């Protein structure tokens, strides 16, 4: 079939296998180039550092989780297991990008002599935890690092069987703000109704730290955590203009829970010399972030400002910096006053935020976005689904089951 891109309400319904291969290959090439001979101070060579060798990534097929897997394997030489929830391809339907990415990753990693296992399963279920623990036992013995990078619209509680759904809503008052979609550069005004208490609680159930704790408790019980084992999950804070829908909204409550969970996990791991952290990352285009109201407009302005100052990074650059300059730099791990790791430091710089805010105030409902890089946001969105790469013949008839 000829694979075309279909986007509905900022959700891509298709993915291109050859383009997904290219996207993963480019990230791997960037990491390998920095591993031994990085000339950039912000991204020191990883080869001399003591990076973890057996890594479990929950949500390792796309976005920050995929980048964590790529950095672990290609900067640190780690064997990896990824768990993700992805659709496989059929003769007439493409897989989701994460399915293709995982297959490409396994291919590239095994060619380097690394073990790579990609499991497609519901990370929230007890069966998956058991399956992963068995695999760790057989193949790795134990793990040194667990990255928890799930972004999901729902979670089925493994004990009660109840399905919880996450929502992206403000709390208290409805929130009206400017926004932009990926399909048009016209700025619109969107009002998001506020969440009720059940929606707040459900979002915390899905995107908070409960399941992260269950994973660590279970792996500890099975004696699969190596001495000094670390675990990291990802959070976001962002600027005041997105607070109502993000940090002070339903997802913000879930992130508060995630951050509190890191403290509990830090205690759980301390007996074996381990640590647990939340890392606050930069706003970047991923499947998860593209559907948050207001955020695509903010990202378009942020991208432009950061690119003008030579500070723009993708997920892989962010995670490379996290591993090499914060988590495994060999020095004491630097945290903020709340104990969090900060790789949103460049995004949150006062000069960057002041400029984004100035540009935010230039936007007018019903007219095209000004002084923003919606094209760049859109191009990244296309590429994470395998579209928009030079040299790929998108008119060619291909079997969606190839990778
Ligand atoms: P993403 O949508 O690219 O990745 C989500 C991952 O979760 C995928 O691998 C997906 O397969 C997996 N997943 C979803 N449901 C699952 C299930 N039931 N079982 C197994 N795997 C499942 O999202 P992104 O943006 O990389 O988000 C990852 C984390 O990073 C989230 O906690 C997010 O809040 C955080 N973050 C994202 C930022 C952004 O701007 N994209 C900024 C800061 C933090």
């Amino acid at each position: 079939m000829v694979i075309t891109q279909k986007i509905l309400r900022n959700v891509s319904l298709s993915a291109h296998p050859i383009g997904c291969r290219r996207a993963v290959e480019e990230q791997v090439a960037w990491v390998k180039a920095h591993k031994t001979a990085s000339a950039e101070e912000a991204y020191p060579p990883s080869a001399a550092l003591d990076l973890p060798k057996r890594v479990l990534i929950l949500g390792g097929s796309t976005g920050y989780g995929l980048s964590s897997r790529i950095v672990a394997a290609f900067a640190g030489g780690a064997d990896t297991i990824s768990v993700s929830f992805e659709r496989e391809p059929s003769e007439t339907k493409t897989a989701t990008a994460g399915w293709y990415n995982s297959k490409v990753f396994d291919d590239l990693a095994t060619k380097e002599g690394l073990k790579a296992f990609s499991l497609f399963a519901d990370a929230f279920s007890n069966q998956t935890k058991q399956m992963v623990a068995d695999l760790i036992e057989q193949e790795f013995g134990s793990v040194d690092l667990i990255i928890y990078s799930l972004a999901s619209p729902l979670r089925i509680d493994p004990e009660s069987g109840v399905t919880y759904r996450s929502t992206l809503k403000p709390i208290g008052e409805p929130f009206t703000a400017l926004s932009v979609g990926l399909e048009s550069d016209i700025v619109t005004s969107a009002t998001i109704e506020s969440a009720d208490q059940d929606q707040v609680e459900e979002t915390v159930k899905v995107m908070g730290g409960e399941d992260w704790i269950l994973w660590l408790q279970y792996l500890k019980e099975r004696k699969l955590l190596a001495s000094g084992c670390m675990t990291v999950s990802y959070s976001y804070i962002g600027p005041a203009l997105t607070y109502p829908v993000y940090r002070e909204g339903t997802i913000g409550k879930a992130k508060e829970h995630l951050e509190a969970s890191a403290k509990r996990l830090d205690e759980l791991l301390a007996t074996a010399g381990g640590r647990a952290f939340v890392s606050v990352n930069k706003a970047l285009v991923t499947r998860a972030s593209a559907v948050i109201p207001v955020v695509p407009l903010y990202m378009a302005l942020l991208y432009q400002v950061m690119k003008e100052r030579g500070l723009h990074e993708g997920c892989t650059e962010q995670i490379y910096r996290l591993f090499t300059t914060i988590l495994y730099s060999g020095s004491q791990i630097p945290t903020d006053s709340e104990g969090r790791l900060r790789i949103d430091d460049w995004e949150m710089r006062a000069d960057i935020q002041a400029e984004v805010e100035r540009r935010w105030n230039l936007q007018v409902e019903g007219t095209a976005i000004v002084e923003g890089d919606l094209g760049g946001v859109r191009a990244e969105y296309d590429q994470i689904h395998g579209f928009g790469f030079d040299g790929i013949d998108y008119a060619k008839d291909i079997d969606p089951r190839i990778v």
Side-chain angles (χ1 to χ4, degrees):
M1 66 191 263
V2 173
I3 299 173
T4 52
Q5 189 172 26
K6 298 183 195 84
I7 297 181
L8 184 67
R9 288 191 284 277
N10 288 8
V11 176
S12 181
L13 305 178
S14 56
H16 199 284
I18 299 170
C20 286
R21 172 170 284 277
R22 176 79 69 81
V24 175
E25 281 173 349
E26 284 188 356
Q27 291 178 70
V28 169
W30 186 92
V31 169
K32 284 169 87 172
H34 286 75
K35 180 178 177 179
T36 46
S38 172
E40 293 163 89
E41 209 183 313
Y43 309 108
S46 61
L49 302 174
D50 191 13
L51 296 182
K53 296 293 177 235
R54 295 154 302 173
V55 180
L56 168 64
I57 304 103
L58 302 163
S61 61
T62 55
Y64 276 113
L66 173 64
S67 290
S68 306
R69 194 178 190 198
I70 289 173
V71 171
F74 294 97
D79 296 330
T80 57
I81 297 171
S82 159
V83 182
S84 64
F85 203 69
E86 302 291 345
R87 182 186 70 221
E88 63 179 18
S90 68
E91 203 176 338
T92 53
K93 200 164 180 191
T94 75
T96 46
W99 191 90
Y100 292 128
N101 294 343
S102 302
K103 295 289 173 188
V104 173
F105 177 93
D106 290 355
D107 178 37
L108 299 177
T110 44
K111 278 185 186 142
E112 301 260 331
L114 303 172
K115 288 185 180 178
F117 304 95
S118 295
L119 308 182
F120 300 110
D122 178 10
F124 297 125
S125 80
N126 289 339
Q127 291 92 313
T128 302
K129 290 180 177 70
Q130 198 178 354
M131 185 167 70
V132 170
D134 292 346
L135 187 63
I136 294 172
E137 202 166 64
Q138 281 158 26
E139 297 288 341
F140 292 3
S142 58
V143 278
D144 314 303
L145 174 66
I146 297 153
I147 298 286
Y148 190 87
S149 187
L150 299 181
S152 176
L154 57 87
R155 170 177 171 225
I156 301 170
D157 186 290
E159 300 306 328
S160 64
V162 172
T163 300
Y164 297 101
R165 289 175 200 283
S166 64
T167 44
L168 294 158
K169 288 186 169 183
I171 298 171
E173 297 289 310
F175 175 56
T176 301
L178 297 178
S179 194
V180 75
L182 291 174
E183 289 105 309
S184 154
D185 64 355
I186 301 297
V187 175
T188 54
S189 174
T191 298
I192 318 157
E193 291 308 318
S194 62
D196 59 33
Q197 192 50 30
D198 285 350
Q199 290 174 315
V200 176
E201 283 164 20
E202 289 204 29
T203 306
V204 171
K205 274 272 183 194
V206 181
M207 290 296 288
E210 192 175 278
D211 180 62
W212 186 22
I213 292 178
L214 290 176
W215 268 102
L216 268 292
Q217 281 174 337
Y218 183 63
L219 295 177
K220 186 173 181 188
E221 212 177 281
R222 295 274 307 256
K223 301 192 173 24
L224 297 173
L225 305 179
S227 149
C229 175
M230 294 219 255
T231 186
V232 181
S233 187
Y234 300 136
S235 186
Y236 184 66
I237 296 176
L241 56 91
T242 63
Y243 276 2
V245 70
Y246 200 97
R247 197 64 202 186
E248 291 169 355
T250 47
I251 183 73
K253 287 284 166 240
K255 291 300 184 191
E256 277 171 20
H257 188 274
L258 190 78
E259 290 165 23
S261 303
K263 296 203 169 97
R264 283 185 55 192
L265 287 174
D266 206 34
E267 287 162 22
L268 184 93
L269 295 179
T271 46
R275 299 298 311 268
F277 294 102
V278 156
S279 169
V280 184
N281 300 357
K282 177 195 184 194
L284 276 173
V285 183
T286 63
R287 278 190 312 201
S289 65
V291 296
I292 306 176
V294 184
V295 167
L297 176 59
Y298 168 70
M299 284 196 292
L301 302 177
L302 179 75
Y303 272 37
Q304 180 78 20
V305 173
M306 292 188 82
K307 283 179 183 176
E308 285 169 9
R309 285 160 177 73
L311 292 174
H312 181 67
E313 296 178 299
C315 292
T316 296
E317 289 94 325
Q318 279 263 292
I319 299 301
Y320 189 91
R321 204 149 63 84
L322 175 68
F323 275 48
T324 58
T325 69
I326 297 182
L327 277 177
Y328 299 103
S329 73
S331 309
Q332 199 182 352
I333 296 172
T335 62
D336 68 10
S337 57
E338 305 292 320
R340 299 172 297 211
L341 314 177
R342 302 299 293 260
I343 49 169
D344 64 339
D345 48 349
W346 298 355
E347 169 181 356
M348 298 314 291
R349 257 173 44 174
D351 60 325
I352 300 287
Q353 285 303 320
E355 183 56 19
V356 171
E357 201 179 326
R358 185 189 72 76
R359 293 181 192 206
W360 186 274
N361 293 327
L362 302 177
Q363 312 306 319
V364 178
E365 185 185 353
T367 63
I369 179 173
V370 287
E371 296 192 35
D373 183 28
L374 190 62
V377 168
R378 177 64 203 253
E380 270 187 23
Y381 186 79
D382 291 351
Q383 291 198 344
I384 62 174
H385 296 96
F387 296 100
F389 285 102
D390 288 339
I392 292 180
D393 182 0
Y394 288 102
K396 197 171 161 193
D397 201 331
I398 60 164
D399 184 337
R401 293 166 299 184
I402 64 148
V403 260

